[in-house]
Amino acid sequence: MQKRIWIPVAAMLFGCLLGGCGQPTQTAPAKSSGGSAVSTEPKNILSGSVVIEGSSTVEPVSLKAKEGFNKQYPGVNISVSGQGTGNGFKALAKKECDISDASRPIKQSEFESCTAAGQGFFEVPVAYDGLTIAINKENTFVDKLDVGQLTKIFRADMAAKTWSEVNPEWPNEKITIYAAGIASGTHDYFMEVIGKDAEAGMRSDEQITLSEDDKLLVTGVVGEKFSIGFFGYSYFVANQDHLKAVPIVNSAGEAITPNIETIESGQYEPFSRPLFIYVSTASYERAEVREFVDFYLENITDIVTQARYVPLPAEVYQRARTHLDKGLAGTYYLDANGKKREGSIATVFVEENLLGK
């Protein structure tokens, strides 16, 4: 992998190509990992494009990164599309995108697809999310849910038709369900919680609408009194005037509402999770991609906060920076046998766990 080329060098080369090396260039402002940009003054020294595909949950984070980056580098065209984590990994393996947004770690099959295609990648954690189970604002009877009740509502082998089947004290009203589609990492994560042991899938009857578009799911829950759905915390916060977040009973028996504090502390479990970007190693050697990813990490705390998610510990961001500088390509979430590693991000995202391409 090539060494990182800092902005002054990239600017000189770009200027030479345009026909003159004697014009002054503006250096990038000094920044610190996980901190904030000290200047938003435009610098017209970069061009090119950055293509981002993948998770609709991570999409707001990448959009905030794009917004900040383009204030400094308006000549770079950045496209962000949230068609689902699975579709993002497919695009990465096909070399159709530079960055794949992901609301879960890469799977063994996706890792193998990238390997077969000769597609290296850097795995970069960016934020915590609290997958939020939401109901209509007019719903006055659901004050909490446990995993068993969620299983009755969402799993194919249970598939409760009415709210009274979930709790006899609740009304005999038909449940209308809005859930993340099968290409979504949010779908995979949710099903790990409610169906992993039984190897059961999501229900697929006429009472459920599946989509990788979180905005569509939000609209569905907002529009129907007896509905329920789930999506990333950011989408709930953006629509909290029209939705209610359901407190979820955790392993300690406490009903916990998702918010910045409960997601960060881990109290909101089992639905707190890390979010990622996966960066093509070949793309990272292009100046515009490298500078965008570096901007993303250097300003990550502000970017994540603006996107209404929860920043990771500073040590995790520093490790991500170090892994990029060392060129450590691959995943930390699969072992040599292709099994998913379990544990906190602080224990999993360490060099000795790297499974390279």
Side-chain angles (χ1 to χ4, degrees), residues 106-108 111 331-335 338-341 355:
I106 194 167
K107 294 178 180 179
Q108 174 66 8
F111 180 84
T331 179
Y332 301 83
Y333 278 84
L334 294 172
D335 64 21
K339 301 295 184 181
K340 180 184 175 183
R341 294 188 190 276
L355 180 64

Side-chain angles (χ1 to χ4, degrees), residues 153-311:
I153 295 171
F154 288 94
R155 224 167 68 182
D157 58 338
M158 304 288 186
K161 300 291 185 183
T162 65
W163 283 105
S164 60
E165 290 179 46
V166 182
N167 184 332
E169 297 179 2
W170 292 345
N172 187 33
E173 296 285 351
K174 180 180 175 182
I175 305 172
T176 305
I177 303 164
Y178 293 88
I182 58 174
S184 168
T186 301
H187 175 103
D188 294 336
Y189 187 87
F190 188 82
M191 291 312 299
E192 276 195 23
V193 173
I194 72 164
K196 185 176 181 180
D197 293 339
E199 297 185 353
M202 181 78 73
R203 65 190 293 173
S204 58
D205 59 331
E206 72 284 351
Q207 290 183 223
I208 189 169
T209 298
L210 297 172
S211 176
E212 284 76 23
D213 185 349
D214 287 314
K215 300 181 188 71
L216 186 151
L217 302 179
V218 168
T219 300
V221 178
V222 168
E224 299 190 43
K225 181 177 179 179
F226 296 105
S227 61
I228 187 171
F230 62 86
F231 27 77
Y233 179 69
S234 176
Y235 287 91
F236 164 71
V237 173
N239 298 277
Q240 60 187 321
D241 290 344
H242 308 289
L243 294 169
K244 289 169 67 175
V246 181
I248 301 300
V249 178
N250 65 16
S251 58
E254 304 169 316
I256 303 296
T257 302
N259 57 47
I260 299 296
E261 291 74 23
T262 59
I263 293 169
E264 184 175 21
S265 68
Q267 282 182 289
Y268 183 66
E269 50 95 355
F271 290 116
S272 293
R273 57 177 177 162
L275 306 176
F276 304 84
I277 60 173
Y278 286 76
V279 183
S280 160
T281 53
S283 296
Y284 190 66
E285 296 194 6
R286 301 200 328 260
E288 71 272 23
V289 176
R290 181 172 58 254
E291 291 303 330
F292 175 70
V293 174
D294 291 352
F295 176 91
Y296 210 130
L297 268 179
E298 288 160 359
N299 300 278
I300 189 66
T301 299
D302 282 349
I303 289 169
V304 167
T305 303
Q306 291 168 16
R308 301 189 178 103
Y309 287 117
V310 181

Side-chain angles (χ1 to χ4, degrees), residues 1-4 89 92 97-102 104-106 111 114 119-126 275-286 289-290 293-294 297 319-333 349 354-357:
M1 175 180 171
Q2 296 178 3
K3 295 182 179 179
R4 296 171 66 205
F89 282 128
L92 186 68
C97 67
D98 302 302
I99 297 171
S100 176
D101 287 345
R104 58 160 172 78
I106 194 167
F111 180 84
C114 286
Q119 175 64 288
F121 58 81
F122 298 114
E123 185 175 66
V124 182
V126 294
L275 306 176
F276 304 84
I277 60 173
Y278 286 76
V279 183
S280 160
T281 53
S283 296
Y284 190 66
E285 296 194 6
R286 301 200 328 260
V289 176
R290 181 172 58 254
V293 174
D294 291 352
L297 268 179
R319 286 180 201 170
R321 176 73 270 164
T322 300
H323 294 173
L324 280 168
D325 291 342
K326 289 184 175 181
L328 300 179
T331 179
Y332 301 83
Y333 278 84
F349 192 63
L354 178 65
L355 180 64
K357 180 183 74 64

Side-chain angles (χ1 to χ4, degrees), residues 17-40:
L17 289 174
L18 289 178
C21 295
Q23 299 191 12
T25 61
Q26 183 175 7
T27 58
K31 304 169 191 169
S32 60
S33 180
S36 304
V38 298
S39 171
T40 56

Side-chain angles (χ1 to χ4, degrees), residues 48-62:
S49 63
V50 180
V51 178
I52 305 173
E53 180 57 271
S55 168
S56 60
T57 302
V58 186
E59 184 181 10
V61 186
S62 288

